[in-house]
Amino acid sequence: MSDQPTRVTPVSDGVARISWVDGENVDVVRREVAAALVDHVRVEAHVRADDQAGQRTATWSGLHREGVMRGVDGDLILFARLSTDTPVHEPGGFRSLLNSFLPRKRAISQMLIRDTTEPEPRVLLCQLTYKQDWDLPGGVVEVGESPMVAVAREVTEELALEIPAGPLLLTDWLPPWGGWDDALCLVFDGGVHDPSILDQIVEQEREIRSAAFCTAAEVAERAADFTARRVAAALATITGAPGSSAAYTESGR
């Protein structure tokens, strides 16, 4: 990441920045980080996004990956270590270091709520304010939140319905699309309800325009194709249709 020997430069009160020559021994960088933390509360490094060797040196020197500074020398990865961080040789410190750079995948929880219409139950869909197509109620799982808790929370926030999440029906992997990273969508069973439950709904105006129970044909018409496939796969799990036992799909397939 540099053609100069390893060096530590103060950049602000209590903060220093470390840089090193390409191929520098990790032990050397680790010692310099430790020495700098005697007089500073934070030591950071900026490593090019295309410099895999530099990123490995930063990590194994005990620097946590904190984020990406876009548009600076291409893109720069920000690494840092604090004087208060648990030592890496302790289990908690090592886990914290790994947690800073291991992949994280977004999770979305949705609920399949059906009505008692015969001969085939309809599915509750929401018309959203931020996109044209309709979708199942639900949303993004917060950091540290149970997906099962998340979907019940989202249904309450979006529709003012208190419906506990039942069994997991489907895990659907969503590939990167339209500026989004990939994600896992977990569809939980919301049970069967009388159609009059619609009268209890209070839409969250910021996100929900309306909600309605929809037939399979209406789901196909109103929802995106991958959402319609996801709904069909989740329903197949409930009915025990052939090929549905794995309860796993990719973009609904």
Side-chain angles (χ1 to χ4, degrees), residues 13-40:
D13 186 26
V15 180
R17 185 171 302 153
I18 187 169
S19 61
W20 55 86
V21 65
D22 290 342
E24 180 64 275
N25 186 285
V26 170
D27 289 336
V28 172
V29 179
R30 185 186 297 118
R31 285 197 297 270
E32 292 293 335
V33 169
L37 286 173
V38 173
D39 299 317
H40 299 85

PDB file of all heavy atoms in Angstrom, residues 13-40:
ATOM      1  N   ASP A  13      -6.125  14.684  17.199  1.00  0.00           N
ATOM      2  CA  ASP A  13      -5.925  14.423  18.616  1.00  0.00           C
ATOM      3  C   ASP A  13      -6.303  12.982  18.961  1.00  0.00           C
ATOM      4  O   ASP A  13      -7.456  12.585  18.817  1.00  0.00           O
ATOM      5  CB  ASP A  13      -6.779  15.393  19.432  1.00  0.00           C
ATOM      6  CG  ASP A  13      -6.505  15.284  20.923  1.00  0.00           C
ATOM      7  OD1 ASP A  13      -5.380  14.877  21.289  1.00  0.00           O
ATOM      8  OD2 ASP A  13      -7.414  15.595  21.713  1.00  0.00           O
ATOM      9  N   GLY A  14      -5.325  12.198  19.370  1.00  0.00           N
ATOM     10  CA  GLY A  14      -5.572  10.816  19.772  1.00  0.00           C
ATOM     11  C   GLY A  14      -5.667   9.831  18.647  1.00  0.00           C
ATOM     12  O   GLY A  14      -5.902   8.642  18.888  1.00  0.00           O
ATOM     13  N   VAL A  15      -5.495  10.280  17.405  1.00  0.00           N
ATOM     14  CA  VAL A  15      -5.646   9.403  16.241  1.00  0.00           C
ATOM     15  C   VAL A  15      -4.371   9.413  15.417  1.00  0.00           C
ATOM     16  O   VAL A  15      -3.818  10.479  15.114  1.00  0.00           O
ATOM     17  CB  VAL A  15      -6.832   9.836  15.355  1.00  0.00           C
ATOM     18  CG1 VAL A  15      -6.971   8.901  14.154  1.00  0.00           C
ATOM     19  CG2 VAL A  15      -8.123   9.854  16.161  1.00  0.00           C
ATOM     20  N   ALA A  16      -3.920   8.215  15.053  1.00  0.00           N
ATOM     21  CA  ALA A  16      -2.741   8.077  14.197  1.00  0.00           C
ATOM     22  C   ALA A  16      -3.095   7.193  13.009  1.00  0.00           C
ATOM     23  O   ALA A  16      -4.010   6.373  13.069  1.00  0.00           O
ATOM     24  CB  ALA A  16      -1.579   7.475  14.983  1.00  0.00           C
ATOM     25  N   ARG A  17      -2.354   7.381  11.921  1.00  0.00           N
ATOM     26  CA  ARG A  17      -2.551   6.561  10.731  1.00  0.00           C
ATOM     27  C   ARG A  17      -1.260   5.811  10.434  1.00  0.00           C
ATOM     28  O   ARG A  17      -0.171   6.383  10.458  1.00  0.00           O
ATOM     29  CB  ARG A  17      -2.943   7.422   9.532  1.00  0.00           C
ATOM     30  CG  ARG A  17      -3.290   6.611   8.282  1.00  0.00           C
ATOM     31  CD  ARG A  17      -3.881   7.507   7.213  1.00  0.00           C
ATOM     32  NE  ARG A  17      -5.076   8.172   7.727  1.00  0.00           N
ATOM     33  CZ  ARG A  17      -5.530   9.352   7.293  1.00  0.00           C
ATOM     34  NH1 ARG A  17      -4.877   9.998   6.346  1.00  0.00           N
ATOM     35  NH2 ARG A  17      -6.619   9.884   7.828  1.00  0.00           N
ATOM     36  N   ILE A  18      -1.401   4.525  10.166  1.00  0.00           N
ATOM     37  CA  ILE A  18      -0.244   3.691   9.883  1.00  0.00           C
ATOM     38  C   ILE A  18      -0.232   3.310   8.403  1.00  0.00           C
ATOM     39  O   ILE A  18      -1.285   3.091   7.798  1.00  0.00           O
ATOM     40  CB  ILE A  18      -0.239   2.421  10.774  1.00  0.00           C
ATOM     41  CG1 ILE A  18       1.071   1.636  10.577  1.00  0.00           C
ATOM     42  CG2 ILE A  18      -1.458   1.541  10.518  1.00  0.00           C
ATOM     43  CD1 ILE A  18       1.277   0.528  11.607  1.00  0.00           C
ATOM     44  N   SER A  19       0.945   3.291   7.827  1.00  0.00           N
ATOM     45  CA  SER A  19       1.122   2.810   6.460  1.00  0.00           C
ATOM     46  C   SER A  19       2.376   1.950   6.432  1.00  0.00           C
ATOM     47  O   SER A  19       3.221   2.028   7.329  1.00  0.00           O
ATOM     48  CB  SER A  19       1.255   3.976   5.474  1.00  0.00           C
ATOM     49  OG  SER A  19       2.385   4.774   5.790  1.00  0.00           O
ATOM     50  N   TRP A  20       2.475   1.122   5.423  1.00  0.00           N
ATOM     51  CA  TRP A  20       3.608   0.206   5.355  1.00  0.00           C
ATOM     52  C   TRP A  20       3.951  -0.092   3.904  1.00  0.00           C
ATOM     53  O   TRP A  20       3.144   0.115   2.986  1.00  0.00           O
ATOM     54  CB  TRP A  20       3.305  -1.102   6.113  1.00  0.00           C
ATOM     55  CG  TRP A  20       2.052  -1.798   5.657  1.00  0.00           C
ATOM     56  CD1 TRP A  20       1.925  -2.684   4.623  1.00  0.00           C
ATOM     57  CD2 TRP A  20       0.747  -1.648   6.211  1.00  0.00           C
ATOM     58  NE1 TRP A  20       0.636  -3.099   4.500  1.00  0.00           N
ATOM     59  CE2 TRP A  20      -0.125  -2.491   5.461  1.00  0.00           C
ATOM     60  CE3 TRP A  20       0.217  -0.906   7.268  1.00  0.00           C
ATOM     61  CZ2 TRP A  20      -1.493  -2.592   5.741  1.00  0.00           C
ATOM     62  CZ3 TRP A  20      -1.136  -1.012   7.542  1.00  0.00           C
ATOM     63  CH2 TRP A  20      -1.983  -1.846   6.787  1.00  0.00           C
ATOM     64  N   VAL A  21       5.161  -0.586   3.713  1.00  0.00           N
ATOM     65  CA  VAL A  21       5.627  -0.948   2.385  1.00  0.00           C
ATOM     66  C   VAL A  21       4.920  -2.228   1.941  1.00  0.00           C
ATOM     67  O   VAL A  21       4.598  -3.095   2.766  1.00  0.00           O
ATOM     68  CB  VAL A  21       7.154  -1.134   2.374  1.00  0.00           C
ATOM     69  CG1 VAL A  21       7.571  -2.317   3.235  1.00  0.00           C
ATOM     70  CG2 VAL A  21       7.690  -1.293   0.954  1.00  0.00           C
ATOM     71  N   ASP A  22       4.637  -2.338   0.665  1.00  0.00           N
ATOM     72  CA  ASP A  22       4.009  -3.547   0.139  1.00  0.00           C
ATOM     73  C   ASP A  22       4.847  -4.770   0.506  1.00  0.00           C
ATOM     74  O   ASP A  22       6.075  -4.776   0.349  1.00  0.00           O
ATOM     75  CB  ASP A  22       3.884  -3.472  -1.394  1.00  0.00           C
ATOM     76  CG  ASP A  22       2.852  -2.436  -1.826  1.00  0.00           C
ATOM     77  OD1 ASP A  22       2.025  -2.059  -0.982  1.00  0.00           O
ATOM     78  OD2 ASP A  22       2.895  -2.003  -2.990  1.00  0.00           O
ATOM     79  N   GLY A  23       4.193  -5.801   1.025  1.00  0.00           N
ATOM     80  CA  GLY A  23       4.891  -7.025   1.399  1.00  0.00           C
ATOM     81  C   GLY A  23       5.511  -6.970   2.778  1.00  0.00           C
ATOM     82  O   GLY A  23       6.234  -7.906   3.162  1.00  0.00           O
ATOM     83  N   GLU A  24       5.237  -5.924   3.520  1.00  0.00           N
ATOM     84  CA  GLU A  24       5.802  -5.812   4.872  1.00  0.00           C
ATOM     85  C   GLU A  24       5.337  -6.975   5.749  1.00  0.00           C
ATOM     86  O   GLU A  24       4.210  -7.452   5.641  1.00  0.00           O
ATOM     87  CB  GLU A  24       5.381  -4.483   5.508  1.00  0.00           C
ATOM     88  CG  GLU A  24       5.912  -4.265   6.910  1.00  0.00           C
ATOM     89  CD  GLU A  24       7.429  -4.173   6.960  1.00  0.00           C
ATOM     90  OE1 GLU A  24       8.065  -5.247   7.032  1.00  0.00           O
ATOM     91  OE2 GLU A  24       7.950  -3.061   6.891  1.00  0.00           O
ATOM     92  N   ASN A  25       6.228  -7.441   6.614  1.00  0.00           N
ATOM     93  CA  ASN A  25       5.913  -8.528   7.530  1.00  0.00           C
ATOM     94  C   ASN A  25       4.800  -8.118   8.484  1.00  0.00           C
ATOM     95  O   ASN A  25       4.833  -7.030   9.060  1.00  0.00           O
ATOM     96  CB  ASN A  25       7.179  -8.906   8.312  1.00  0.00           C
ATOM     97  CG  ASN A  25       6.982 -10.127   9.175  1.00  0.00           C
ATOM     98  OD1 ASN A  25       6.346 -10.050  10.214  1.00  0.00           O
ATOM     99  ND2 ASN A  25       7.527 -11.246   8.730  1.00  0.00           N
ATOM    100  N   VAL A  26       3.810  -8.998   8.658  1.00  0.00           N
ATOM    101  CA  VAL A  26       2.666  -8.692   9.522  1.00  0.00           C
ATOM    102  C   VAL A  26       3.123  -8.418  10.947  1.00  0.00           C
ATOM    103  O   VAL A  26       2.584  -7.516  11.616  1.00  0.00           O
ATOM    104  CB  VAL A  26       1.650  -9.851   9.488  1.00  0.00           C
ATOM    105  CG1 VAL A  26       0.584  -9.653  10.559  1.00  0.00           C
ATOM    106  CG2 VAL A  26       1.006  -9.965   8.121  1.00  0.00           C
ATOM    107  N   ASP A  27       4.111  -9.154  11.436  1.00  0.00           N
ATOM    108  CA  ASP A  27       4.573  -8.953  12.811  1.00  0.00           C
ATOM    109  C   ASP A  27       5.092  -7.533  13.020  1.00  0.00           C
ATOM    110  O   ASP A  27       4.904  -6.944  14.096  1.00  0.00           O
ATOM    111  CB  ASP A  27       5.666  -9.964  13.158  1.00  0.00           C
ATOM    112  CG  ASP A  27       5.134 -11.374  13.302  1.00  0.00           C
ATOM    113  OD1 ASP A  27       3.919 -11.514  13.579  1.00  0.00           O
ATOM    114  OD2 ASP A  27       5.914 -12.321  13.133  1.00  0.00           O
ATOM    115  N   VAL A  28       5.745  -6.980  11.997  1.00  0.00           N
ATOM    116  CA  VAL A  28       6.265  -5.615  12.099  1.00  0.00           C
ATOM    117  C   VAL A  28       5.113  -4.625  12.230  1.00  0.00           C
ATOM    118  O   VAL A  28       5.119  -3.740  13.091  1.00  0.00           O
ATOM    119  CB  VAL A  28       7.138  -5.276  10.871  1.00  0.00           C
ATOM    120  CG1 VAL A  28       7.521  -3.797  10.878  1.00  0.00           C
ATOM    121  CG2 VAL A  28       8.380  -6.147  10.840  1.00  0.00           C
ATOM    122  N   VAL A  29       4.111  -4.784  11.381  1.00  0.00           N
ATOM    123  CA  VAL A  29       2.963  -3.875  11.412  1.00  0.00           C
ATOM    124  C   VAL A  29       2.217  -4.018  12.735  1.00  0.00           C
ATOM    125  O   VAL A  29       1.804  -3.030  13.344  1.00  0.00           O
ATOM    126  CB  VAL A  29       2.029  -4.140  10.216  1.00  0.00           C
ATOM    127  CG1 VAL A  29       0.824  -3.202  10.259  1.00  0.00           C
ATOM    128  CG2 VAL A  29       2.778  -3.984   8.899  1.00  0.00           C
ATOM    129  N   ARG A  30       2.067  -5.255  13.211  1.00  0.00           N
ATOM    130  CA  ARG A  30       1.361  -5.490  14.469  1.00  0.00           C
ATOM    131  C   ARG A  30       2.074  -4.788  15.621  1.00  0.00           C
ATOM    132  O   ARG A  30       1.432  -4.166  16.481  1.00  0.00           O
ATOM    133  CB  ARG A  30       1.249  -6.988  14.744  1.00  0.00           C
ATOM    134  CG  ARG A  30       0.423  -7.329  15.983  1.00  0.00           C
ATOM    135  CD  ARG A  30       0.450  -8.808  16.299  1.00  0.00           C
ATOM    136  NE  ARG A  30      -0.141  -9.591  15.239  1.00  0.00           N
ATOM    137  CZ  ARG A  30       0.496 -10.519  14.518  1.00  0.00           C
ATOM    138  NH1 ARG A  30       1.789 -10.760  14.754  1.00  0.00           N
ATOM    139  NH2 ARG A  30      -0.118 -11.193  13.576  1.00  0.00           N
ATOM    140  N   ARG A  31       3.394  -4.860  15.656  1.00  0.00           N
ATOM    141  CA  ARG A  31       4.162  -4.211  16.730  1.00  0.00           C
ATOM    142  C   ARG A  31       4.013  -2.695  16.656  1.00  0.00           C
ATOM    143  O   ARG A  31       3.888  -2.021  17.687  1.00  0.00           O
ATOM    144  CB  ARG A  31       5.636  -4.607  16.642  1.00  0.00           C
ATOM    145  CG  ARG A  31       5.935  -6.026  17.112  1.00  0.00           C
ATOM    146  CD  ARG A  31       7.421  -6.205  17.382  1.00  0.00           C
ATOM    147  NE  ARG A  31       8.207  -6.020  16.166  1.00  0.00           N
ATOM    148  CZ  ARG A  31       8.533  -7.000  15.316  1.00  0.00           C
ATOM    149  NH1 ARG A  31       8.133  -8.250  15.576  1.00  0.00           N
ATOM    150  NH2 ARG A  31       9.266  -6.752  14.253  1.00  0.00           N
ATOM    151  N   GLU A  32       4.013  -2.151  15.440  1.00  0.00           N
ATOM    152  CA  GLU A  32       3.872  -0.702  15.292  1.00  0.00           C
ATOM    153  C   GLU A  32       2.479  -0.233  15.717  1.00  0.00           C
ATOM    154  O   GLU A  32       2.328   0.845  16.312  1.00  0.00           O
ATOM    155  CB  GLU A  32       4.149  -0.301  13.841  1.00  0.00           C
ATOM    156  CG  GLU A  32       5.589  -0.491  13.398  1.00  0.00           C
ATOM    157  CD  GLU A  32       6.536   0.454  14.126  1.00  0.00           C
ATOM    158  OE1 GLU A  32       6.090   1.527  14.590  1.00  0.00           O
ATOM    159  OE2 GLU A  32       7.734   0.121  14.252  1.00  0.00           O
ATOM    160  N   VAL A  33       1.462  -1.034  15.427  1.00  0.00           N
ATOM    161  CA  VAL A  33       0.106  -0.702  15.866  1.00  0.00           C
ATOM    162  C   VAL A  33       0.045  -0.676  17.387  1.00  0.00           C
ATOM    163  O   VAL A  33      -0.489   0.264  17.995  1.00  0.00           O
ATOM    164  CB  VAL A  33      -0.924  -1.709  15.308  1.00  0.00           C
ATOM    165  CG1 VAL A  33      -2.284  -1.529  15.979  1.00  0.00           C
ATOM    166  CG2 VAL A  33      -1.049  -1.553  13.795  1.00  0.00           C
ATOM    167  N   ALA A  34       0.601  -1.707  18.026  1.00  0.00           N
ATOM    168  CA  ALA A  34       0.590  -1.785  19.492  1.00  0.00           C
ATOM    169  C   ALA A  34       1.343  -0.612  20.109  1.00  0.00           C
ATOM    170  O   ALA A  34       0.889  -0.017  21.098  1.00  0.00           O
ATOM    171  CB  ALA A  34       1.186  -3.114  19.945  1.00  0.00           C
ATOM    172  N   ALA A  35       2.478  -0.261  19.522  1.00  0.00           N
ATOM    173  CA  ALA A  35       3.272   0.846  20.056  1.00  0.00           C
ATOM    174  C   ALA A  35       2.524   2.170  19.910  1.00  0.00           C
ATOM    175  O   ALA A  35       2.539   3.014  20.812  1.00  0.00           O
ATOM    176  CB  ALA A  35       4.619   0.913  19.337  1.00  0.00           C
ATOM    177  N   ALA A  36       1.837   2.339  18.788  1.00  0.00           N
ATOM    178  CA  ALA A  36       1.101   3.590  18.554  1.00  0.00           C
ATOM    179  C   ALA A  36      -0.066   3.739  19.516  1.00  0.00           C
ATOM    180  O   ALA A  36      -0.427   4.859  19.904  1.00  0.00           O
ATOM    181  CB  ALA A  36       0.618   3.638  17.109  1.00  0.00           C
ATOM    182  N   LEU A  37      -0.661   2.634  19.926  1.00  0.00           N
ATOM    183  CA  LEU A  37      -1.816   2.691  20.824  1.00  0.00           C
ATOM    184  C   LEU A  37      -1.434   3.038  22.257  1.00  0.00           C
ATOM    185  O   LEU A  37      -2.308   3.283  23.096  1.00  0.00           O
ATOM    186  CB  LEU A  37      -2.573   1.362  20.789  1.00  0.00           C
ATOM    187  CG  LEU A  37      -3.400   1.134  19.514  1.00  0.00           C
ATOM    188  CD1 LEU A  37      -3.973  -0.273  19.486  1.00  0.00           C
ATOM    189  CD2 LEU A  37      -4.520   2.169  19.402  1.00  0.00           C
ATOM    190  N   VAL A  38      -0.151   3.084  22.539  1.00  0.00           N
ATOM    191  CA  VAL A  38       0.297   3.547  23.862  1.00  0.00           C
ATOM    192  C   VAL A  38       0.004   5.034  24.014  1.00  0.00           C
ATOM    193  O   VAL A  38      -0.389   5.513  25.080  1.00  0.00           O
ATOM    194  CB  VAL A  38       1.797   3.260  24.059  1.00  0.00           C
ATOM    195  CG1 VAL A  38       2.290   3.902  25.360  1.00  0.00           C
ATOM    196  CG2 VAL A  38       2.056   1.760  24.061  1.00  0.00           C
ATOM    197  N   ASP A  39       0.160   5.783  22.914  1.00  0.00           N
ATOM    198  CA  ASP A  39      -0.006   7.240  22.958  1.00  0.00           C
ATOM    199  C   ASP A  39      -1.250   7.729  22.223  1.00  0.00           C
ATOM    200  O   ASP A  39      -1.532   8.930  22.226  1.00  0.00           O
ATOM    201  CB  ASP A  39       1.224   7.921  22.331  1.00  0.00           C
ATOM    202  CG  ASP A  39       2.498   7.595  23.088  1.00  0.00           C
ATOM    203  OD1 ASP A  39       2.467   7.617  24.336  1.00  0.00           O
ATOM    204  OD2 ASP A  39       3.511   7.308  22.431  1.00  0.00           O
ATOM    205  N   HIS A  40      -1.983   6.812  21.580  1.00  0.00           N
ATOM    206  CA  HIS A  40      -3.168   7.207  20.819  1.00  0.00           C
ATOM    207  C   HIS A  40      -4.338   6.289  21.192  1.00  0.00           C
ATOM    208  O   HIS A  40      -4.134   5.142  21.595  1.00  0.00           O
ATOM    209  CB  HIS A  40      -2.913   7.109  19.314  1.00  0.00           C
ATOM    210  CG  HIS A  40      -1.817   7.996  18.818  1.00  0.00           C
ATOM    211  ND1 HIS A  40      -0.489   7.614  18.855  1.00  0.00           N
ATOM    212  CD2 HIS A  40      -1.852   9.252  18.288  1.00  0.00           C
ATOM    213  CE1 HIS A  40       0.253   8.585  18.349  1.00  0.00           C
ATOM    214  NE2 HIS A  40      -0.542   9.593  18.005  1.00  0.00           N
TER     215      HIS A  40
END
